[in-house]
Amino acid sequence: MKPLREFDIAFVGLNPGEHSFHYAIGERFFDNFEEPRDFSNCEVSVNLTLDKKSNFFLLKFAIGGKVTVTCDRCGEPFEMQLWDDFNQIVKLVENPEELASGEEDPDVSYILKTESHLNVAEFIYEFIHLSIPMQRIHPDNADGKSGCNPKVIEMLEQMNQQAKENDNPIWKGLDKFKDN
């Protein structure tokens, strides 16, 4: 049995117009991909709207859910909420390899006109990764304080203070150029 078969969309039998699909993505989904990931406990919902036209499809992905990531500031894991939208155009062509190599638009993909199924697993995989921000820091608590580990924050503040105290006087003259 082909892995990720549940992500195949048999578009040949679909009438022109919009069609909706829903996918619940969990940890097992990522077992089908070799790349390492820097999150865990994935619980993501993907709502896909496929707008079928005569020679192309407009795919609209709505990503929502949560993953556990490591905080860049304190190194502690926390649950991050995800929500994002992505659009992808899939064109039906005679020779997709030639067009794909000449095009530089990542929002456009090509498949053979003779294909009958479109597998959206790669798109979902990519868009979940793109939904996770590059900078991952604990959100603030209800009282407005950082959600990071207080001991780590205290250590960082001490280190910052020590660095200020140990400033080399040779660089003092350059401070006036900081804001320019």
Side-chain angles (χ1 to χ4, degrees):
M1 188 168 123
K2 180 180 167 187
L4 301 172
R5 188 177 178 140
E6 66 265 28
F7 298 97
D8 280 345
I9 298 174
F11 59 82
V12 171
L14 296 177
N15 292 327
E18 289 191 359
H19 305 274
S20 296
F21 302 90
H22 177 76
Y23 302 100
I25 307 297
E27 288 294 302
R28 298 194 65 211
F29 173 78
F30 296 96
D31 295 341
N32 296 291
F33 300 91
E34 293 182 13
E35 290 89 18
R37 59 190 162 103
D38 54 355
F39 59 88
S40 60
N41 302 326
C42 179
E43 294 178 24
V44 173
S45 172
V46 178
N47 291 315
L48 167 62
T49 303
L50 182 146
D51 189 1
K52 183 179 179 185
K53 306 291 185 187
S54 60
N55 288 325
F56 71 95
F57 310 120
L58 176 58
L59 306 174
K60 295 178 183 181
F61 294 86
I63 309 282
K66 59 186 178 180
V67 294
T68 300
V69 295
T70 302
C71 180
D72 292 335
R73 184 185 298 149
C74 71
E76 299 281 325
F78 73 98
E79 192 174 88
M80 176 176 274
Q81 296 297 317
L82 302 181
W83 63 92
D84 218 332
D85 295 318
F86 298 94
N87 292 326
Q88 185 73 31
I89 296 172
V90 178
K91 293 184 178 181
L92 300 167
V93 294
E94 296 292 332
N95 194 346
E97 291 82 22
E98 280 182 24
L99 289 171
S101 64
E103 285 284 326
E104 293 188 20
D105 189 352
D107 296 335
V108 179
S109 300
Y110 301 94
I111 61 172
L112 282 170
K113 281 186 173 183
T114 57
E115 291 286 330
S116 61
H117 289 75
L118 172 66
N119 189 293
V120 295
E122 287 279 339
F123 295 131
I124 292 172
Y125 175 84
E126 205 173 295
F127 294 150
I128 288 173
H129 278 84
L130 289 172
S131 302
I132 301 171
M134 289 183 69
Q135 187 176 36
R136 302 160 187 167
I137 297 178
H138 274 96
D140 291 342
N141 295 332
D143 59 359
K145 292 188 178 184
S146 171
C148 289
N149 183 335
K151 292 179 183 179
V152 174
I153 297 297
E154 185 179 322
M155 287 175 55
L156 289 172
E157 288 172 357
Q158 287 175 358
M159 291 169 62
N160 196 16
Q161 186 61 33
Q162 287 174 352
K164 285 181 182 177
E165 291 171 3
N166 295 333
D167 273 351
N168 189 335
I170 208 167
W171 303 110
K172 287 282 185 200
L174 295 176
D175 285 343
K176 62 184 172 187
F177 298 111
K178 250 184 191 176
D179 296 328
N180 288 340

